Amino acid sequence: MKLNPQDLEAIAGRTLGHYDRSAEDFWRGTRDHDVSQNRSAFLQHIEGEPPFTILDFGCGPGRDLKVFADLGHVAVGLEGSPRFSEMACAYSGCEVLQQDFLKLRLPAGRFDGVFANAALFHVPGQELPRVLRELHATLKPRGVLFSSNPRGNNDEGWSEERYGAYWDLETWRRYLTAAGFVELTHYYRPAGLPRERQPWLATVMMKRD
């Protein structure tokens, strides 16, 4: 079913409202999550010499944003939730762009890498090709896009107050390839568990010249 503009507004508004209302609980529940594997996979595939200019897409309260800044990179956050944006700016000391994922306003060719950890799955499939093209455009030549999303059987819809889209590897690859990316690597998380107990799919992609 095709989503109309009112549907998309509702998806963004309801999902962001959920995060605003639960911001403090979310922060307490996620600030100590170990996603060092994701950050390392991202940084090791960026070409050139650091420091890198990084966009933390869907930065939440700023956990990874601060890590990137503390490593000496020029880290910029992007977050749709007003409360998360405030928290991320205060916690990390970095610039945070408050932007709805469905209404991005990004500079062309600015970033060496985009780190999208548990964020892009909130974009409806109908809008995903456009959003990925916009991320492609904000990367420098051969820039890197990291994403980690809960995987599924190519279905999407509401889970209580949050909208999500859950892709398998082949479908996710098709979206990224069509947007101008080539795959560098992928893996499932958490590491060391049987596949049925690895709900997260991580991919590292490079902007195709």
Side-chain angles (χ1 to χ4, degrees):
M1 184 179 69
K2 182 173 176 58
L3 299 169
N4 62 39
Q6 291 74 32
D7 295 328
L8 297 174
E9 288 285 349
I11 285 170
R14 187 170 159 188
T15 302
L16 292 174
H18 164 82
Y19 283 120
D20 272 343
R21 290 188 298 273
S22 60
E24 280 69 26
D25 287 341
F26 182 93
W27 184 223
R28 284 191 293 270
T30 61
R31 66 185 303 168
D32 295 324
H33 281 186
D34 182 6
V35 296
S36 56
Q37 179 187 14
N38 292 348
R39 292 191 299 264
S40 296
F42 170 60
L43 291 173
Q44 75 183 30
H45 283 96
I46 300 178
E47 297 181 348
E49 294 297 321
F52 304 126
T53 303
I54 292 169
L55 179 67
D56 187 350
F57 182 88
C59 65
R63 178 195 62 206
D64 301 315
L65 188 62
K66 187 175 191 305
V67 172
F68 290 134
D70 288 349
L71 289 171
H73 302 294
V74 179
V76 177
L78 186 145
E79 177 54 55
S81 158
R83 182 66 186 121
F84 276 172
S85 298
E86 293 171 0
M87 294 167 72
C89 186
Y91 180 68
S92 69
C94 297
E95 176 187 8
V96 177
L97 309 174
Q98 187 184 320
Q99 294 186 20
D100 181 337
F101 293 177
L102 303 183
K103 298 178 181 177
L104 297 175
R105 304 174 304 282
L106 296 173
R110 177 177 178 185
F111 298 101
D112 295 295
V114 174
F115 184 76
N117 190 73
L120 282 170
F121 78 100
H122 286 310
V123 177
Q126 172 184 305
E127 303 300 305
L128 186 57
R130 174 178 60 84
V131 172
L132 291 175
R133 288 195 302 270
E134 290 169 340
L135 295 181
H136 184 277
T138 203
L139 284 166
K140 296 176 183 178
R142 298 181 65 79
V144 169
L145 169 64
F146 172 89
S147 65
S148 178
N149 297 305
R151 62 191 180 93
N153 296 311
N154 305 320
D155 48 359
E156 60 183 289
W158 290 100
S159 176
E160 297 182 351
E161 294 298 305
R162 300 187 305 167
Y163 192 91
Y166 307 97
W167 312 111
D168 61 23
L169 175 59
E170 292 307 316
T171 302
W172 184 239
R173 276 174 170 160
R174 286 197 295 270
Y175 276 116
L176 288 159
T177 300
F181 291 98
V182 293
E183 182 177 341
L184 300 177
T185 191
H186 75 273
Y187 56 89
Y188 296 91
R189 279 180 49 85
L193 296 178
R195 183 60 48 81
E196 64 270 16
R197 294 173 58 195
Q198 293 178 310
W200 293 89
L201 168 63
T203 55
V204 185
M205 300 279 176
M206 178 175 283
K207 178 175 180 175
R208 188 168 60 232
D209 290 341

mmCIF file of all heavy atoms in Angstrom, residues 103-153:
data_model
loop_
_atom_site.group_PDB
_atom_site.id
_atom_site.type_symbol
_atom_site.label_atom_id
_atom_site.label_comp_id
_atom_site.label_asym_id
_atom_site.label_seq_id
_atom_site.Cartn_x
_atom_site.Cartn_y
_atom_site.Cartn_z
ATOM 1 N N LYS A 103 12.963 14.141 5.907
ATOM 2 C CA LYS A 103 13.080 15.513 5.406
ATOM 3 C C LYS A 103 14.508 16.002 5.620
ATOM 4 O O LYS A 103 14.756 17.019 6.273
ATOM 5 C CB LYS A 103 12.093 16.440 6.122
ATOM 6 C CG LYS A 103 10.630 16.073 5.917
ATOM 7 C CD LYS A 103 9.715 17.009 6.698
ATOM 8 C CE LYS A 103 8.249 16.643 6.523
ATOM 9 N NZ LYS A 103 7.360 17.519 7.350
ATOM 10 N N LEU A 104 15.454 15.284 5.055
ATOM 11 C CA LEU A 104 16.858 15.602 5.261
ATOM 12 C C LEU A 104 17.281 16.838 4.472
ATOM 13 O O LEU A 104 16.809 17.080 3.362
ATOM 14 C CB LEU A 104 17.727 14.414 4.853
ATOM 15 C CG LEU A 104 17.528 13.127 5.660
ATOM 16 C CD1 LEU A 104 18.353 11.998 5.065
ATOM 17 C CD2 LEU A 104 17.889 13.341 7.129
ATOM 18 N N ARG A 105 18.201 17.586 5.063
ATOM 19 C CA ARG A 105 18.810 18.752 4.402
ATOM 20 C C ARG A 105 20.316 18.656 4.681
ATOM 21 O O ARG A 105 20.824 19.259 5.627
ATOM 22 C CB ARG A 105 18.232 20.058 4.966
ATOM 23 C CG ARG A 105 16.710 20.129 4.874
ATOM 24 C CD ARG A 105 16.126 21.346 5.566
ATOM 25 N NE ARG A 105 16.525 21.437 6.963
ATOM 26 C CZ ARG A 105 15.987 20.724 7.959
ATOM 27 N NH1 ARG A 105 15.036 19.830 7.705
ATOM 28 N NH2 ARG A 105 16.394 20.876 9.206
ATOM 29 N N LEU A 106 20.995 17.899 3.843
ATOM 30 C CA LEU A 106 22.395 17.588 4.094
ATOM 31 C C LEU A 106 23.303 18.242 3.058
ATOM 32 O O LEU A 106 22.957 18.303 1.875
ATOM 33 C CB LEU A 106 22.608 16.069 4.061
ATOM 34 C CG LEU A 106 21.873 15.278 5.145
ATOM 35 C CD1 LEU A 106 22.020 13.789 4.895
ATOM 36 C CD2 LEU A 106 22.408 15.641 6.531
ATOM 37 N N PRO A 107 24.487 18.686 3.476
ATOM 38 C CA PRO A 107 25.436 19.275 2.527
ATOM 39 C C PRO A 107 26.023 18.207 1.619
ATOM 40 O O PRO A 107 26.242 17.064 2.028
ATOM 41 C CB PRO A 107 26.502 19.888 3.434
ATOM 42 C CG PRO A 107 26.450 19.066 4.683
ATOM 43 C CD PRO A 107 25.011 18.674 4.857
ATOM 44 N N ALA A 108 26.298 18.561 0.402
ATOM 45 C CA ALA A 108 26.860 17.606 -0.564
ATOM 46 C C ALA A 108 28.347 17.389 -0.288
ATOM 47 O O ALA A 108 29.100 18.336 -0.040
ATOM 48 C CB ALA A 108 26.658 18.125 -1.982
ATOM 49 N N GLY A 109 28.768 16.139 -0.333
ATOM 50 C CA GLY A 109 30.181 15.791 -0.292
ATOM 51 C C GLY A 109 30.927 16.222 0.948
ATOM 52 O O GLY A 109 32.120 16.495 0.887
ATOM 53 N N ARG A 110 30.268 16.232 2.100
ATOM 54 C CA ARG A 110 30.927 16.740 3.313
ATOM 55 C C ARG A 110 31.613 15.653 4.129
ATOM 56 O O ARG A 110 32.665 15.884 4.733
ATOM 57 C CB ARG A 110 29.915 17.459 4.203
ATOM 58 C CG ARG A 110 30.524 17.944 5.516
ATOM 59 C CD ARG A 110 29.558 18.721 6.367
ATOM 60 N NE ARG A 110 30.163 19.130 7.631
ATOM 61 C CZ ARG A 110 29.526 19.747 8.614
ATOM 62 N NH1 ARG A 110 28.246 20.046 8.473
ATOM 63 N NH2 ARG A 110 30.149 20.059 9.735
ATOM 64 N N PHE A 111 31.045 14.445 4.181
ATOM 65 C CA PHE A 111 31.451 13.466 5.183
ATOM 66 C C PHE A 111 32.294 12.331 4.605
ATOM 67 O O PHE A 111 32.021 11.831 3.516
ATOM 68 C CB PHE A 111 30.217 12.889 5.881
ATOM 69 C CG PHE A 111 29.418 13.925 6.630
ATOM 70 C CD1 PHE A 111 28.249 14.452 6.085
ATOM 71 C CD2 PHE A 111 29.852 14.389 7.855
ATOM 72 C CE1 PHE A 111 27.530 15.415 6.761
ATOM 73 C CE2 PHE A 111 29.133 15.363 8.541
ATOM 74 C CZ PHE A 111 27.975 15.873 7.998
ATOM 75 N N ASP A 112 33.294 11.922 5.377
ATOM 76 C CA ASP A 112 34.072 10.729 5.037
ATOM 77 C C ASP A 112 33.263 9.464 5.313
ATOM 78 O O ASP A 112 33.474 8.439 4.666
ATOM 79 C CB ASP A 112 35.362 10.680 5.859
ATOM 80 C CG ASP A 112 36.297 11.824 5.537
ATOM 81 O OD1 ASP A 112 36.782 11.884 4.391
ATOM 82 O OD2 ASP A 112 36.533 12.664 6.432
ATOM 83 N N GLY A 113 32.377 9.531 6.294
ATOM 84 C CA GLY A 113 31.583 8.374 6.643
ATOM 85 C C GLY A 113 30.286 8.759 7.315
ATOM 86 O O GLY A 113 30.204 9.789 7.987
ATOM 87 N N VAL A 114 29.271 7.924 7.111
ATOM 88 C CA VAL A 114 27.988 8.046 7.797
ATOM 89 C C VAL A 114 27.792 6.784 8.617
ATOM 90 O O VAL A 114 27.842 5.671 8.090
ATOM 91 C CB VAL A 114 26.818 8.220 6.807
ATOM 92 C CG1 VAL A 114 25.474 8.188 7.548
ATOM 93 C CG2 VAL A 114 26.963 9.525 6.023
ATOM 94 N N PHE A 115 27.578 6.968 9.919
ATOM 95 C CA PHE A 115 27.386 5.862 10.857
ATOM 96 C C PHE A 115 25.916 5.842 11.255
ATOM 97 O O PHE A 115 25.442 6.733 11.937
ATOM 98 C CB PHE A 115 28.274 6.082 12.078
ATOM 99 C CG PHE A 115 28.257 4.973 13.098
ATOM 100 C CD1 PHE A 115 28.942 3.794 12.873
ATOM 101 C CD2 PHE A 115 27.578 5.128 14.307
ATOM 102 C CE1 PHE A 115 28.952 2.782 13.823
ATOM 103 C CE2 PHE A 115 27.580 4.123 15.259
ATOM 104 C CZ PHE A 115 28.269 2.943 15.022
ATOM 105 N N ALA A 116 25.199 4.830 10.786
ATOM 106 C CA ALA A 116 23.752 4.733 11.043
ATOM 107 C C ALA A 116 23.493 3.470 11.854
ATOM 108 O O ALA A 116 23.219 2.404 11.300
ATOM 109 C CB ALA A 116 22.976 4.710 9.732
ATOM 110 N N ASN A 117 23.616 3.596 13.161
ATOM 111 C CA ASN A 117 23.463 2.453 14.050
ATOM 112 C C ASN A 117 22.032 2.434 14.596
ATOM 113 O O ASN A 117 21.624 3.349 15.304
ATOM 114 C CB ASN A 117 24.464 2.549 15.209
ATOM 115 C CG ASN A 117 24.514 1.280 16.036
ATOM 116 O OD1 ASN A 117 25.055 0.275 15.599
ATOM 117 N ND2 ASN A 117 23.942 1.321 17.225
ATOM 118 N N ALA A 118 21.271 1.412 14.225
ATOM 119 C CA ALA A 118 19.888 1.258 14.698
ATOM 120 C C ALA A 118 19.050 2.494 14.373
ATOM 121 O O ALA A 118 18.365 3.039 15.234
ATOM 122 C CB ALA A 118 19.857 0.966 16.204
ATOM 123 N N ALA A 119 19.110 2.924 13.121
ATOM 124 C CA ALA A 119 18.393 4.136 12.728
ATOM 125 C C ALA A 119 17.614 3.970 11.429
ATOM 126 O O ALA A 119 16.434 4.316 11.357
ATOM 127 C CB ALA A 119 19.379 5.301 12.599
ATOM 128 N N LEU A 120 18.254 3.445 10.395
ATOM 129 C CA LEU A 120 17.624 3.419 9.071
ATOM 130 C C LEU A 120 16.422 2.479 8.994
ATOM 131 O O LEU A 120 15.608 2.604 8.074
ATOM 132 C CB LEU A 120 18.657 3.038 8.007
ATOM 133 C CG LEU A 120 19.602 4.166 7.589
ATOM 134 C CD1 LEU A 120 20.734 3.619 6.732
ATOM 135 C CD2 LEU A 120 18.855 5.256 6.837
ATOM 136 N N PHE A 121 16.266 1.585 9.955
ATOM 137 C CA PHE A 121 15.107 0.702 9.907
ATOM 138 C C PHE A 121 13.805 1.453 10.176
ATOM 139 O O PHE A 121 12.723 0.937 9.930
ATOM 140 C CB PHE A 121 15.271 -0.480 10.872
ATOM 141 C CG PHE A 121 15.008 -0.174 12.320
ATOM 142 C CD1 PHE A 121 13.793 -0.505 12.894
ATOM 143 C CD2 PHE A 121 15.980 0.410 13.116
ATOM 144 C CE1 PHE A 121 13.541 -0.251 14.235
ATOM 145 C CE2 PHE A 121 15.747 0.677 14.453
ATOM 146 C CZ PHE A 121 14.525 0.341 15.018
ATOM 147 N N HIS A 122 13.910 2.688 10.660
ATOM 148 C CA HIS A 122 12.702 3.498 10.869
ATOM 149 C C HIS A 122 12.202 4.143 9.569
ATOM 150 O O HIS A 122 11.128 4.746 9.566
ATOM 151 C CB HIS A 122 12.967 4.592 11.900
ATOM 152 C CG HIS A 122 13.043 4.074 13.309
ATOM 153 N ND1 HIS A 122 12.086 3.258 13.854
ATOM 154 C CD2 HIS A 122 13.976 4.268 14.282
ATOM 155 C CE1 HIS A 122 12.411 2.965 15.103
ATOM 156 N NE2 HIS A 122 13.557 3.557 15.381
ATOM 157 N N VAL A 123 12.966 4.048 8.499
ATOM 158 C CA VAL A 123 12.564 4.643 7.220
ATOM 159 C C VAL A 123 11.678 3.650 6.464
ATOM 160 O O VAL A 123 12.111 2.522 6.188
ATOM 161 C CB VAL A 123 13.798 5.002 6.371
ATOM 162 C CG1 VAL A 123 13.366 5.554 5.008
ATOM 163 C CG2 VAL A 123 14.679 6.015 7.106
ATOM 164 N N PRO A 124 10.450 4.041 6.109
ATOM 165 C CA PRO A 124 9.595 3.125 5.334
ATOM 166 C C PRO A 124 10.250 2.745 4.011
ATOM 167 O O PRO A 124 10.981 3.539 3.403
ATOM 168 C CB PRO A 124 8.319 3.951 5.099
ATOM 169 C CG PRO A 124 8.325 4.992 6.167
ATOM 170 C CD PRO A 124 9.767 5.310 6.433
ATOM 171 N N GLY A 125 10.001 1.520 3.556
ATOM 172 C CA GLY A 125 10.590 1.057 2.313
ATOM 173 C C GLY A 125 10.303 1.956 1.136
ATOM 174 O O GLY A 125 11.150 2.135 0.249
ATOM 175 N N GLN A 126 9.127 2.549 1.112
ATOM 176 C CA GLN A 126 8.753 3.451 0.021
ATOM 177 C C GLN A 126 9.703 4.633 -0.087
ATOM 178 O O GLN A 126 9.993 5.121 -1.182
ATOM 179 C CB GLN A 126 7.328 3.944 0.276
ATOM 180 C CG GLN A 126 6.839 5.029 -0.660
ATOM 181 C CD GLN A 126 5.455 5.519 -0.272
ATOM 182 O OE1 GLN A 126 4.530 4.726 -0.156
ATOM 183 N NE2 GLN A 126 5.303 6.817 -0.051
ATOM 184 N N GLU A 127 10.202 5.108 1.050
ATOM 185 C CA GLU A 127 11.061 6.290 1.090
ATOM 186 C C GLU A 127 12.543 5.958 1.142
ATOM 187 O O GLU A 127 13.388 6.848 0.987
ATOM 188 C CB GLU A 127 10.699 7.158 2.312
ATOM 189 C CG GLU A 127 9.253 7.602 2.353
ATOM 190 C CD GLU A 127 8.870 8.428 1.144
ATOM 191 O OE1 GLU A 127 9.553 9.445 0.897
ATOM 192 O OE2 GLU A 127 7.913 8.058 0.438
ATOM 193 N N LEU A 128 12.869 4.700 1.379
ATOM 194 C CA LEU A 128 14.262 4.315 1.586
ATOM 195 C C LEU A 128 15.166 4.628 0.395
ATOM 196 O O LEU A 128 16.282 5.130 0.599
ATOM 197 C CB LEU A 128 14.340 2.840 1.953
ATOM 198 C CG LEU A 128 15.707 2.298 2.343
ATOM 199 C CD1 LEU A 128 16.305 3.058 3.519
ATOM 200 C CD2 LEU A 128 15.602 0.802 2.681
ATOM 201 N N PRO A 129 14.759 4.373 -0.855
ATOM 202 C CA PRO A 129 15.662 4.712 -1.969
ATOM 203 C C PRO A 129 16.073 6.182 -1.973
ATOM 204 O O PRO A 129 17.252 6.505 -2.209
ATOM 205 C CB PRO A 129 14.836 4.344 -3.207
ATOM 206 C CG PRO A 129 13.930 3.251 -2.735
ATOM 207 C CD PRO A 129 13.559 3.653 -1.335
ATOM 208 N N ARG A 130 15.127 7.062 -1.711
ATOM 209 C CA ARG A 130 15.450 8.501 -1.688
ATOM 210 C C ARG A 130 16.393 8.831 -0.546
ATOM 211 O O ARG A 130 17.382 9.570 -0.725
ATOM 212 C CB ARG A 130 14.159 9.312 -1.564
ATOM 213 C CG ARG A 130 14.387 10.811 -1.375
ATOM 214 C CD ARG A 130 13.070 11.570 -1.299
ATOM 215 N NE ARG A 130 12.239 11.129 -0.183
ATOM 216 C CZ ARG A 130 12.370 11.575 1.067
ATOM 217 N NH1 ARG A 130 13.337 12.439 1.375
ATOM 218 N NH2 ARG A 130 11.561 11.155 2.021
ATOM 219 N N VAL A 131 16.124 8.320 0.644
ATOM 220 C CA VAL A 131 16.969 8.608 1.805
ATOM 221 C C VAL A 131 18.390 8.093 1.585
ATOM 222 O O VAL A 131 19.368 8.782 1.891
ATOM 223 C CB VAL A 131 16.341 8.014 3.080
ATOM 224 C CG1 VAL A 131 17.300 8.121 4.263
ATOM 225 C CG2 VAL A 131 15.018 8.711 3.404
ATOM 226 N N LEU A 132 18.518 6.903 1.021
ATOM 227 C CA LEU A 132 19.855 6.370 0.751
ATOM 228 C C LEU A 132 20.587 7.204 -0.290
ATOM 229 O O LEU A 132 21.809 7.402 -0.192
ATOM 230 C CB LEU A 132 19.762 4.913 0.307
ATOM 231 C CG LEU A 132 19.330 3.910 1.386
ATOM 232 C CD1 LEU A 132 19.167 2.525 0.769
ATOM 233 C CD2 LEU A 132 20.330 3.867 2.535
ATOM 234 N N ARG A 133 19.881 7.695 -1.294
ATOM 235 C CA ARG A 133 20.527 8.576 -2.280
ATOM 236 C C ARG A 133 20.999 9.867 -1.617
ATOM 237 O O ARG A 133 22.073 10.402 -1.960
ATOM 238 C CB ARG A 133 19.566 8.887 -3.424
ATOM 239 C CG ARG A 133 19.307 7.714 -4.357
ATOM 240 C CD ARG A 133 18.652 8.162 -5.655
ATOM 241 N NE ARG A 133 17.388 8.852 -5.432
ATOM 242 C CZ ARG A 133 16.201 8.254 -5.379
ATOM 243 N NH1 ARG A 133 16.105 6.932 -5.530
ATOM 244 N NH2 ARG A 133 15.101 8.951 -5.185
ATOM 245 N N GLU A 134 20.240 10.377 -0.665
ATOM 246 C CA GLU A 134 20.645 11.594 0.036
ATOM 247 C C GLU A 134 21.880 11.349 0.905
ATOM 248 O O GLU A 134 22.768 12.216 1.001
ATOM 249 C CB GLU A 134 19.470 12.117 0.868
ATOM 250 C CG GLU A 134 18.351 12.675 0.011
ATOM 251 C CD GLU A 134 17.066 12.958 0.769
ATOM 252 O OE1 GLU A 134 16.878 12.388 1.871
ATOM 253 O OE2 GLU A 134 16.239 13.743 0.272
ATOM 254 N N LEU A 135 21.967 10.187 1.522
ATOM 255 C CA LEU A 135 23.177 9.852 2.283
ATOM 256 C C LEU A 135 24.369 9.655 1.346
ATOM 257 O O LEU A 135 25.493 10.064 1.661
ATOM 258 C CB LEU A 135 22.934 8.597 3.120
ATOM 259 C CG LEU A 135 21.883 8.725 4.223
ATOM 260 C CD1 LEU A 135 21.761 7.419 4.998
ATOM 261 C CD2 LEU A 135 22.215 9.872 5.166
ATOM 262 N N HIS A 136 24.122 9.042 0.203
ATOM 263 C CA HIS A 136 25.160 8.889 -0.815
ATOM 264 C C HIS A 136 25.702 10.258 -1.227
ATOM 265 O O HIS A 136 26.918 10.458 -1.338
ATOM 266 C CB HIS A 136 24.561 8.150 -2.012
ATOM 267 C CG HIS A 136 25.525 7.838 -3.109
ATOM 268 N ND1 HIS A 136 25.869 8.750 -4.091
ATOM 269 C CD2 HIS A 136 26.207 6.689 -3.402
ATOM 270 C CE1 HIS A 136 26.719 8.185 -4.918
ATOM 271 N NE2 HIS A 136 26.943 6.941 -4.539
ATOM 272 N N ALA A 137 24.817 11.214 -1.412
ATOM 273 C CA ALA A 137 25.218 12.545 -1.882
ATOM 274 C C ALA A 137 26.005 13.319 -0.830
ATOM 275 O O ALA A 137 26.854 14.157 -1.183
ATOM 276 C CB ALA A 137 23.991 13.344 -2.298
ATOM 277 N N THR A 138 25.760 13.063 0.447
ATOM 278 C CA THR A 138 26.464 13.818 1.488
ATOM 279 C C THR A 138 27.844 13.243 1.784
ATOM 280 O O THR A 138 28.634 13.866 2.491
ATOM 281 C CB THR A 138 25.623 13.887 2.773
ATOM 282 O OG1 THR A 138 26.043 15.022 3.555
ATOM 283 C CG2 THR A 138 25.734 12.637 3.616
ATOM 284 N N LEU A 139 28.153 12.064 1.217
ATOM 285 C CA LEU A 139 29.468 11.466 1.391
ATOM 286 C C LEU A 139 30.468 12.006 0.373
ATOM 287 O O LEU A 139 30.115 12.316 -0.765
ATOM 288 C CB LEU A 139 29.384 9.948 1.237
ATOM 289 C CG LEU A 139 28.797 9.168 2.412
ATOM 290 C CD1 LEU A 139 28.459 7.738 1.985
ATOM 291 C CD2 LEU A 139 29.767 9.147 3.593
ATOM 292 N N LYS A 140 31.719 12.061 0.775
ATOM 293 C CA LYS A 140 32.796 12.357 -0.150
ATOM 294 C C LYS A 140 32.993 11.156 -1.089
ATOM 295 O O LYS A 140 32.483 10.067 -0.815
ATOM 296 C CB LYS A 140 34.094 12.614 0.623
ATOM 297 C CG LYS A 140 34.053 13.842 1.521
ATOM 298 C CD LYS A 140 35.340 13.965 2.316
ATOM 299 C CE LYS A 140 35.294 15.151 3.279
ATOM 300 N NZ LYS A 140 36.524 15.249 4.102
ATOM 301 N N PRO A 141 33.713 11.333 -2.185
ATOM 302 C CA PRO A 141 34.008 10.183 -3.044
ATOM 303 C C PRO A 141 34.629 9.040 -2.244
ATOM 304 O O PRO A 141 35.529 9.256 -1.428
ATOM 305 C CB PRO A 141 34.993 10.756 -4.066
ATOM 306 C CG PRO A 141 34.624 12.207 -4.145
ATOM 307 C CD PRO A 141 34.250 12.595 -2.737
ATOM 308 N N ARG A 142 34.116 7.836 -2.450
ATOM 309 C CA ARG A 142 34.560 6.623 -1.771
ATOM 310 C C ARG A 142 34.304 6.683 -0.265
ATOM 311 O O ARG A 142 34.934 5.960 0.521
ATOM 312 C CB ARG A 142 36.026 6.310 -2.074
ATOM 313 C CG ARG A 142 36.269 6.048 -3.553
ATOM 314 C CD ARG A 142 37.725 5.717 -3.867
ATOM 315 N NE ARG A 142 38.172 4.469 -3.265
ATOM 316 C CZ ARG A 142 37.906 3.259 -3.751
ATOM 317 N NH1 ARG A 142 37.181 3.120 -4.851
ATOM 318 N NH2 ARG A 142 38.367 2.171 -3.133
ATOM 319 N N GLY A 143 33.349 7.529 0.140
ATOM 320 C CA GLY A 143 32.951 7.575 1.539
ATOM 321 C C GLY A 143 32.239 6.293 1.946
ATOM 322 O O GLY A 143 31.762 5.520 1.116
ATOM 323 N N VAL A 144 32.131 6.075 3.249
ATOM 324 C CA VAL A 144 31.632 4.814 3.795
ATOM 325 C C VAL A 144 30.321 5.030 4.542
ATOM 326 O O VAL A 144 30.186 5.970 5.340
ATOM 327 C CB VAL A 144 32.687 4.187 4.734
ATOM 328 C CG1 VAL A 144 32.103 3.027 5.526
ATOM 329 C CG2 VAL A 144 33.898 3.724 3.930
ATOM 330 N N LEU A 145 29.372 4.141 4.281
ATOM 331 C CA LEU A 145 28.107 4.106 5.012
ATOM 332 C C LEU A 145 28.052 2.823 5.828
ATOM 333 O O LEU A 145 28.070 1.720 5.273
ATOM 334 C CB LEU A 145 26.918 4.150 4.048
ATOM 335 C CG LEU A 145 25.539 3.867 4.669
ATOM 336 C CD1 LEU A 145 25.162 4.928 5.700
ATOM 337 C CD2 LEU A 145 24.466 3.768 3.589
ATOM 338 N N PHE A 146 27.983 2.960 7.148
ATOM 339 C CA PHE A 146 27.752 1.819 8.023
ATOM 340 C C PHE A 146 26.301 1.834 8.471
ATOM 341 O O PHE A 146 25.760 2.889 8.837
ATOM 342 C CB PHE A 146 28.644 1.884 9.272
ATOM 343 C CG PHE A 146 28.287 0.821 10.282
ATOM 344 C CD1 PHE A 146 28.880 -0.423 10.223
ATOM 345 C CD2 PHE A 146 27.319 1.057 11.249
ATOM 346 C CE1 PHE A 146 28.516 -1.420 11.114
ATOM 347 C CE2 PHE A 146 26.952 0.068 12.147
ATOM 348 C CZ PHE A 146 27.549 -1.168 12.085
ATOM 349 N N SER A 147 25.678 0.665 8.477
ATOM 350 C CA SER A 147 24.321 0.557 9.020
ATOM 351 C C SER A 147 24.192 -0.730 9.799
ATOM 352 O O SER A 147 24.783 -1.754 9.448
ATOM 353 C CB SER A 147 23.269 0.615 7.908
ATOM 354 O OG SER A 147 23.381 -0.503 7.061
ATOM 355 N N SER A 148 23.432 -0.663 10.872
ATOM 356 C CA SER A 148 23.063 -1.837 11.638
ATOM 357 C C SER A 148 21.574 -1.743 11.922
ATOM 358 O O SER A 148 21.114 -0.743 12.481
ATOM 359 C CB SER A 148 23.855 -1.909 12.950
ATOM 360 O OG SER A 148 23.460 -3.036 13.714
ATOM 361 N N ASN A 149 20.840 -2.758 11.490
ATOM 362 C CA ASN A 149 19.383 -2.747 11.623
ATOM 363 C C ASN A 149 18.884 -4.099 12.104
ATOM 364 O O ASN A 149 19.496 -5.127 11.803
ATOM 365 C CB ASN A 149 18.717 -2.464 10.265
ATOM 366 C CG ASN A 149 19.068 -1.107 9.721
ATOM 367 O OD1 ASN A 149 18.883 -0.096 10.376
ATOM 368 N ND2 ASN A 149 19.591 -1.078 8.501
ATOM 369 N N PRO A 150 17.759 -4.120 12.821
ATOM 370 C CA PRO A 150 17.149 -5.415 13.119
ATOM 371 C C PRO A 150 16.664 -6.057 11.829
ATOM 372 O O PRO A 150 16.008 -5.416 11.011
ATOM 373 C CB PRO A 150 15.983 -5.056 14.053
ATOM 374 C CG PRO A 150 15.718 -3.610 13.819
ATOM 375 C CD PRO A 150 17.006 -2.997 13.387
ATOM 376 N N ARG A 151 17.030 -7.300 11.621
ATOM 377 C CA ARG A 151 16.700 -7.960 10.360
ATOM 378 C C ARG A 151 15.339 -8.637 10.435
ATOM 379 O O ARG A 151 14.787 -8.839 11.528
ATOM 380 C CB ARG A 151 17.782 -8.962 9.976
ATOM 381 C CG ARG A 151 17.972 -10.104 10.946
ATOM 382 C CD ARG A 151 19.222 -10.894 10.636
ATOM 383 N NE ARG A 151 19.433 -12.008 11.554
ATOM 384 C CZ ARG A 151 19.011 -13.246 11.325
ATOM 385 N NH1 ARG A 151 18.357 -13.525 10.200
ATOM 386 N NH2 ARG A 151 19.239 -14.212 12.193
ATOM 387 N N GLY A 152 14.794 -8.972 9.270
ATOM 388 C CA GLY A 152 13.498 -9.627 9.234
ATOM 389 C C GLY A 152 13.223 -10.242 7.889
ATOM 390 O O GLY A 152 14.138 -10.532 7.116
ATOM 391 N N ASN A 153 11.950 -10.395 7.581
ATOM 392 C CA ASN A 153 11.514 -11.043 6.344
ATOM 393 C C ASN A 153 10.865 -10.047 5.386
ATOM 394 O O ASN A 153 9.867 -10.348 4.744
ATOM 395 C CB ASN A 153 10.549 -12.180 6.675
ATOM 396 C CG ASN A 153 11.207 -13.275 7.479
ATOM 397 O OD1 ASN A 153 12.284 -13.753 7.123
ATOM 398 N ND2 ASN A 153 10.586 -13.673 8.585
#
